Amino acid sequence: MKQQSSATAPPRIAVTTPSTTAGAAPRDRRGLGTLQAGLGVVAFSLTFPATAWGLEGFGPWALVAVRSVLAALIAGVCLLARRVPPPARRHWPGLAVVAGGVVVGFPLLSTLALETSTTAHAAVVVGLLPLTTAVFSALRVGTRPSRTFWAAALAGAAAVLAFTVQQSGGALTSADLYLFAALLVCAAGYTEGGRLARVMPGWQVIGWALVLCLPLAVPAAALALAHQPAQLTAHSVAGVLWVAAGSQFLGLVVWYRGMAAIGIPKASQLQLAQPLLTLVWSVLLLGEHLTAAAPLTAAAVLVCIAVTQRARG
């Protein structure tokens, strides 16, 4: 007669092993990264309205130089307080790209554009920034986007180009050219900063990029203010403080942290909300009136870029 081994076998006890909980930490990290990148998008969405306020009391060159100096001082104090050693020599070329793209290039080009363009118009054009960043990221890491990706990318580009030409009376203006150039340099800075944020804290990426520009920003600010004296008002002061502390430093700190946690493509997808948020701020803070084409084009760009992000996955 066979023994019933099952009757004598000890009961199995479910034991929680590290492998069963290993996914919790990455999920928590992704959630925090998404939140940080989202906060960065909110900060960036206020950049154009704040710049418009700053232009009420500062010339464009003075505004860019002063915001760079203020942001660099904030970053320098933080780096000194934390006694952060300088980055390794191999990281400085990447930091120079970040500095040229997000510290100097995008602020200067977008500020020059906003002298003759509304924030609503600029927001829709810059709606291509997530797509441009995704393309730069794809080229940087050597991936091959699908045909769906390129089809949606071209559709989004066509929507933005049609909007800008229609709003400009049938031809591109100098403001549009400034904005398109701003897209390219900013996307390069975002991509390189996201790459560096994988090997060093995100706040140090933007912190050292700002400090790198300080020797040029200080004399530039002095020269610009000498030729374009500031007329301080509540709006101009609030505007320059926000673009310096909010957009130029704190916004980029959480943005690069988010990019490092969830990846450049997924972070850029969150930036789809930026043009729509900027349109809302332009109405609430600046009293601008939107044409029907602005929100419709922003929505079309949102759909196109969402398709590119889905295709990348």
Side-chain angles (χ1 to χ4, degrees):
M1 184 176 180
K2 295 181 179 180
Q3 295 181 351
Q4 296 180 355
S5 58
S6 61
T8 59
R12 294 183 179 180
I13 299 175
V15 178
T16 302
T17 63
S19 61
T20 61
T21 59
R27 282 196 295 269
D28 292 342
R29 185 170 182 269
R30 287 195 297 269
L32 179 59
T34 301
L35 176 61
Q36 290 173 329
L39 291 175
V41 170
V42 174
F44 299 152
S45 70
L46 281 162
T47 299
F48 283 173
T51 299
W53 274 6
L55 287 172
E56 294 181 11
F58 292 84
W61 295 90
L63 177 60
V64 173
V66 169
R67 71 180 277 182
S68 297
V69 170
L70 292 177
L73 291 176
I74 296 172
V77 169
C78 292
L79 291 169
L80 287 174
R82 299 292 298 272
R83 297 182 180 179
V84 178
R89 182 178 298 179
R90 66 182 184 276
H91 296 323
W92 283 108
L95 290 171
V97 174
V98 176
V102 303
V103 177
V104 178
F106 184 81
L108 178 59
L109 292 167
S110 60
T111 299
L112 292 173
L114 286 173
E115 281 197 296
T116 56
S117 172
T118 65
T119 59
H121 178 89
V124 174
V125 176
V126 176
L128 277 182
L129 182 56
L131 172 61
T132 311
T133 303
V135 172
F136 268 71
S137 176
L139 294 174
R140 187 73 170 90
V141 300
T143 57
R144 295 181 180 274
S146 65
R147 292 181 180 180
T148 303
F149 178 95
W150 290 118
L154 292 174
V160 171
L161 185 61
F163 171 80
T164 53
V165 171
Q166 186 270 333
Q167 292 289 302
S168 304
L172 294 177
T173 65
S174 59
D176 296 322
L177 297 178
Y178 283 137
L179 290 170
F180 285 129
L183 287 176
L184 296 177
V185 297
C186 189
Y190 277 176
T191 301
E192 198 63 24
R195 186 188 67 82
L196 287 173
R198 296 178 179 178
V199 296
M200 58 191 296
W203 75 273
Q204 293 182 24
V205 173
I206 185 58
W208 286 114
L210 286 165
V211 170
L212 184 63
C213 294
L214 190 58
L216 295 177
V218 170
L223 183 63
L225 289 173
H227 288 80
Q228 301 174 334
Q231 299 178 355
L232 301 183
T233 64
H235 276 182
S236 64
V237 172
V240 73
L241 288 178
W242 177 258
V243 293
S247 303
Q248 194 86 71
F249 184 66
L250 296 177
L252 285 167
V253 166
V254 292
W255 175 245
Y256 283 140
R257 283 183 176 179
M259 292 179 82
I262 65 177
I264 297 173
K266 289 185 178 180
S268 67
Q269 184 177 5
L270 293 176
Q271 214 172 11
L272 300 175
Q274 183 174 329
L276 300 178
L277 287 172
T278 301
L279 292 179
V280 173
W281 299 134
S282 68
V283 174
L284 296 179
L285 300 178
L286 304 177
E288 293 184 359
H289 299 283
L290 302 181
T291 63
L296 289 176
T297 305
V301 170
L302 188 152
V303 172
C304 293
I305 302 177
V307 173
T308 66
Q309 295 298 318
R310 194 176 185 86
R312 284 177 59 85

